[in-house]
């Protein structure tokens, strides 16, 4: 029972960790929260669903579709909510992303209907059984895909020129532009990438929960944000750690309280960390 | 034709008129010092040329082409590298990453490697610390890094804003030796320096700024002999030294 919850927690934690990375990326570059993150996740899920229902059952194609839809809509949000609003108070951009959140949710329920679509299941067979705990192939796949994503991101940020530019712009965009870095381009790229990541996660989540609907992004986005704050929102390793810890804590909490309180646990963590340790577990004090 | 020709440059910060029509010329290979009291507008002048600050009016031409109010990322591509006041090291990037950031505009990898080697030859201290985070260096090391990073784009002109600011006195001479050496390599230098004594000794030509205007300009040897300047900037009150 304990082991099973832990395994479920790690699988879900992979999703939270990737969403948390997206929040960290946007925060690092713009000191800003994108409140439409959940809707990017939802759009990614719909894109994946459309692909497997109407185009091909190939999961790779579905994941790619979620990634691309997240990229494109993320790019658009950056242009409207951040680039066009440069120079006006931060709050205007925040409100604008909230506007996007409502708009995208409404658009999705208009286009696809209010009812929940069911997603075909993939790899639901048990891969291993350890002490009565079952690990499905899907769970293995989720963790593997998340780790591959994280490694790719790490390579992108630490081994490429673009990655260096993203880090430099996040640290000091004025000085970065003195080095010839195109701050707008770099910001737009990283923002789109954050959208693509959550779009991708949306597809994984659609399969894991077998469900797609317009409101599906709200709770995971808050959990991803919690995971980011938990680990230290300026730090990508922190986001990863926060994601897995949150997944584990949430699933294990079911042992101690009724499962209805599960979502509440993450809100509690969010509040506690915002109040007492806003720099998270790994974040640096100086940066918030 | 001057390498860099600035005419009647005017800059406002909101209602504050920080530059009130400043003109300045740099010839190839020059070493020019810009001195003046705090708040005179020296930093603003460099920033307006390098595109960090938007100018209200005037002209700026580099090799005969206007670069007036171009974006800073474009200006560094044309060959002017601005080492900002306060060094502005990327504190969480390593020394080497800071240098690579400086070479961002150069796509030829072999050339970047050569420039990196040159930085390490010029500043062996940085080679020892190549893997350290920029933020962990001492003030003097950070200044070396800032200068080395500025050179990584292999510019024609290097702007230096207060290279001695906040640096241990024993290191200041060392930093200035480096700067003289860089000028000897053929880089044209425009340097702001609060330590006017030192600035007028190492540079060849000098401009003096007061509240947004150039009040004097002459060869440094001449400025050093000028009584008004000696009193105002060189801390000389009585007889010659
Ligand atoms: N970002 C800014 N916003 C408003 N005023 C500024 C800004 N930067 C500088 N100033 C003002 O412009 C004037 C010139 O400043 P600056 O160029 O930094 O002088 P210096 O480098 O000679 O000390 C000062 O009066 C300063 O207060
Ligand atoms: Mg200054």
């Amino acid at each position: 029972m304990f082991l099973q919850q832990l395994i479920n927690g790690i699988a879900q934690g992979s999703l939270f960790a990737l969403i948390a990375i997206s929040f960290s990326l946007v925060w690092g570059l713009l000191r800003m929260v994108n409140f439409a993150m959940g809707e990017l996740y939802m759009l990614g899920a719909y894109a994946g669903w459309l692909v497997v229902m109407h185009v091909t059952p190939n999961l790779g194609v579905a994941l790619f579709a979620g990634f691309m839809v997240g990229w494109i809509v993320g790019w658009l949000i950056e242009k409207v909510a951040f680039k066009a609003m440069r120079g006006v108070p931060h709050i205007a951009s925040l409100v604008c992303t909230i506007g996007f959140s409502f708009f995208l949710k409404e658009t999705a329920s208009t286009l696809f209907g209010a009812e929940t679509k069911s997603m075909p299941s993939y790899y639901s067979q048990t891969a291993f059984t350890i002490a009565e705990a079952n690990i499905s192939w899907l769970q293995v796949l989720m963790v593997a895909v998340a780790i591959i994503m994280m490694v790719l991101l790490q390579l992108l940020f630490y081994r490429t020129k673009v990655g260096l530019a993203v880090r430099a712009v996040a640290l000091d965009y004025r000085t970065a532009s003195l080095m010839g870095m195109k701050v707008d381009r770099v910001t737009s790229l990283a923002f789109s990438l954050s959208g693509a990541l959550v779009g991708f996660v949306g597809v994984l989540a659609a399969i894991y929960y077998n469900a797609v609907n317009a409101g599906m992004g709200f709770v995971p986005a808050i959990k991803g944000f919690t995971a980011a704050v938990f680990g230290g929102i300026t730090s990508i390793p922190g986001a990863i750690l926060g994601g897995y810890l949150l997944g584990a804590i949430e699933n294990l909490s079911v042992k101690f309280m009724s499962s209805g309180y599960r979502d509440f646990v993450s809100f509690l963590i969010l509040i506690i960390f915002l109040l007492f340790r806003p720099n998270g577990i790994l974040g640096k004090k100086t940066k918030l | 034709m001057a390498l860099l020709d600035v005419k009647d440059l005017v800059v406002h910060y909101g209602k504050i008129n920080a530059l009130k029509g400043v003109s300045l010329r740099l010839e190839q290979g020059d070493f020019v010092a810009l001195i003046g009291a705090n708040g005179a507008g020296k930093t603003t002048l460099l920033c307006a040329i390098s595109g960090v600050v938007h100018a209200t009016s005037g002209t700026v031409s580099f090799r005969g082409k206007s670069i007036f109010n171009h974006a800073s990322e474009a200006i560094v591509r044309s060959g002017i590298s601005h080492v900002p006041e306060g060094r502005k090291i990327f504190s969480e990037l390593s020394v080497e990453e800071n240098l690579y950031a400086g070479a961002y505009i150069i796509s030829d990898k072999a050339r970047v490697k050569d420039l990196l080697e040159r930085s390490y030859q010029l500043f062996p201290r940085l080679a020892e610390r190549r893997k350290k985070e920029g933020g962990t260096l001492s003030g003097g090391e950070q200044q070396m890094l800032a200068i080395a990073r500025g050179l990584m784009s292999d510019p024609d002109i290097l702007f230096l804003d207060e290279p001695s600011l906040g640096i241990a006195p024993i290191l200041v001479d060392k930093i200035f030796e480096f700067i003289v050496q860089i000028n000897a390599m053929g880089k044209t230098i425009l340097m702001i320096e609060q330590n006017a004594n030192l600035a007028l000794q190492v540079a060849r030509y000098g401009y003096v700024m007061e509240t947004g205007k150039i009040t004097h300009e002459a060869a440094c040897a001449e400025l050093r002999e000028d009584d008004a300047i000696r009193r105002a900037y060189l801390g000389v009150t009585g007889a010659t030294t």
Side-chain angles (χ1 to χ4, degrees):
Chain A
M1 170 69 186
F2 174 84
L3 194 59
Q4 185 70 60
Q5 298 297 356
L6 186 65
I7 288 160
N8 296 345
I10 288 170
Q12 270 192 318
S14 299
L15 305 182
F16 299 158
L18 290 173
I19 302 171
I21 291 173
S22 297
F23 277 107
S24 290
L25 256 179
V26 173
W27 180 268
L29 282 162
L30 296 156
R31 293 294 179 269
M32 200 74 89
V33 176
N34 174 8
F35 283 106
M37 209 68 101
E39 282 58 48
L40 290 166
Y41 168 102
M42 173 271 294
L43 290 178
Y46 271 109
W49 175 77
L50 283 173
V51 165
V52 299
M53 299 307 283
H54 301 289
V55 186
T56 160
N58 185 318
L59 192 53
V61 177
L63 286 168
F64 181 72
F67 187 92
M68 284 317 295
V69 165
W71 183 284
I72 293 162
V73 181
W75 179 86
L76 192 73
I77 293 175
E78 196 272 336
K79 287 286 164 282
V80 176
F82 295 96
K83 177 103 191 291
M85 296 219 178
R86 191 165 288 174
V88 302
H90 266 36
I91 189 83
S93 291
L94 289 182
V95 171
C96 194
T97 67
I98 295 174
F100 262 106
S101 160
F102 285 119
F103 174 76
L104 294 174
K105 194 149 71 177
E106 277 316 302
T107 306
S109 58
T110 309
L111 281 177
F112 302 108
E115 76 284 2
T116 298
K117 311 282 186 208
S118 77
M119 187 81 176
S121 53
Y122 282 84
Y123 307 111
S124 53
Q125 312 86 325
T126 301
F128 315 98
T129 302
I130 308 170
E132 289 178 38
N134 294 320
I135 307 174
S136 72
W137 281 113
L138 179 61
Q139 288 177 321
V140 174
L141 182 83
M142 277 162 65
V143 175
V145 162
I147 289 172
I148 290 170
M149 260 312 180
M150 290 166 199
V151 170
L152 288 178
L153 283 173
Q154 194 74 5
L155 291 175
L156 175 73
F157 290 134
Y158 290 90
R159 291 277 180 276
T160 70
K161 208 167 158 175
V162 176
L164 180 65
V166 171
R167 288 187 296 145
V169 168
L171 287 168
D172 179 352
Y173 72 90
R174 276 204 194 88
T175 305
S177 82
L178 284 179
M179 317 277 109
M181 293 168 181
K182 295 173 178 163
V183 173
D184 285 349
R185 277 251 284 279
V186 169
T187 305
S188 171
L189 182 100
F191 202 99
S192 307
L193 180 63
S194 82
L197 266 181
V198 283
F200 179 91
V201 176
V203 181
L204 281 180
I207 297 160
Y208 193 59
Y209 303 114
N210 292 117
V212 180
N213 66 62
M216 70 186 284
F218 178 69
V219 170
I222 291 195
K223 292 195 181 157
F225 181 64
T226 304
V229 171
F230 194 15
I233 193 156
T234 57
S235 141
I236 286 182
I240 296 170
L241 181 70
Y244 283 107
L245 276 178
L246 185 66
I249 292 172
E250 224 189 76
N251 281 276
L252 293 176
S253 72
V254 182
K255 244 173 104 79
F256 308 104
M257 52 182 110
S258 100
S259 65
Y261 282 107
R262 206 167 121 150
D263 291 341
F264 175 71
V265 171
S266 71
F267 293 100
L268 198 65
I269 292 176
L270 180 59
I271 296 290
I272 290 173
F273 269 73
L274 284 176
L275 283 177
F276 299 108
R277 204 175 151 76
N279 302 295
I281 304 172
L282 293 188
K284 293 193 179 162
K285 252 230 152 55
T286 50
K287 284 183 71 182
L288 255 176
Chain B
M1 179 181 67
L3 183 61
L4 180 72
D5 198 352
V6 178
K7 285 205 184 88
D8 304 320
L9 202 58
V10 175
V11 172
H12 290 90
Y13 293 112
K15 287 210 167 69
I16 300 171
N17 187 191
L19 291 190
K20 301 167 181 164
V22 171
S23 302
L24 169 147
R25 288 160 66 90
L26 288 182
E27 303 292 342
Q28 177 71 47
D30 256 356
F31 188 168
V32 173
L34 179 59
I35 62 173
N38 245 340
K42 306 178 298 295
T43 297
T44 303
L45 175 57
L46 293 199
C47 288
I49 301 171
S50 70
V52 177
V53 163
H54 195 85
T56 314
S57 63
T59 62
V60 181
S61 54
F62 177 61
R63 296 189 186 289
K65 287 208 186 85
S66 171
I67 54 164
F68 178 72
N69 276 347
H70 286 191
S72 48
E73 48 95 351
I75 286 174
V76 62
R77 282 184 171 72
S78 62
I80 299 177
S81 183
H82 181 170
V83 178
E85 189 172 10
R87 311 184 279 268
K88 302 288 159 63
I89 293 306
F90 296 114
S91 56
E92 287 169 39
L93 302 189
S94 71
V95 166
E96 191 144 300
E97 285 172 334
N98 269 281
L99 293 173
Y100 276 120
Y104 186 76
I105 63 167
I106 299 175
S107 37
D108 178 355
K109 285 202 174 121
R111 190 151 161 248
V112 174
K113 275 268 178 282
D114 287 346
L115 287 163
L116 193 68
E117 278 316 305
R118 185 180 79 181
S119 302
Y120 288 147
Q121 267 164 21
L122 200 56
F123 301 103
R125 191 93 187 109
L126 296 181
E128 289 164 28
R129 314 231 137 188
R130 66 211 296 167
K131 298 289 173 216
K132 289 261 184 315
E133 275 191 10
T136 66
L137 302 188
S138 73
E141 290 167 343
Q142 285 194 11
Q143 188 61 60
M144 291 180 206
L145 178 55
I147 296 172
R149 185 181 63 181
L151 285 171
M152 284 296 288
S153 63
D154 206 9
D156 300 315
I157 301 181
L158 191 66
F159 285 177
L160 298 169
D161 194 341
E162 310 246 13
S164 75
L165 191 72
I167 287 173
I170 40 161
L171 270 175
V172 171
D173 286 346
K174 189 98 192 120
I175 298 273
F176 274 81
E177 274 168 35
F178 285 129
I179 297 171
V180 169
Q181 206 179 332
I182 289 161
N183 178 238
M185 280 160 40
K187 304 287 179 200
T188 305
I189 293 180
L190 174 57
M191 176 181 76
I192 296 177
E193 182 48 59
Q194 49 165 353
N195 185 338
N197 262 314
L198 198 51
L200 295 184
Q201 266 162 43
V202 295
R204 277 189 293 275
Y205 198 80
Y207 289 84
V208 182
M209 266 185 96
E210 247 171 64
T211 56
K213 281 204 179 100
I214 304 274
T215 53
H216 303 264
E217 61 161 292
C220 289
E222 222 171 292
L223 289 175
R224 286 201 303 265
E225 300 305 321
D226 185 306
D227 278 342
I229 290 171
R230 289 162 67 88
R231 273 193 298 274
Y233 301 104
L234 303 180
V236 179
T237 44
T240 49
T241 45

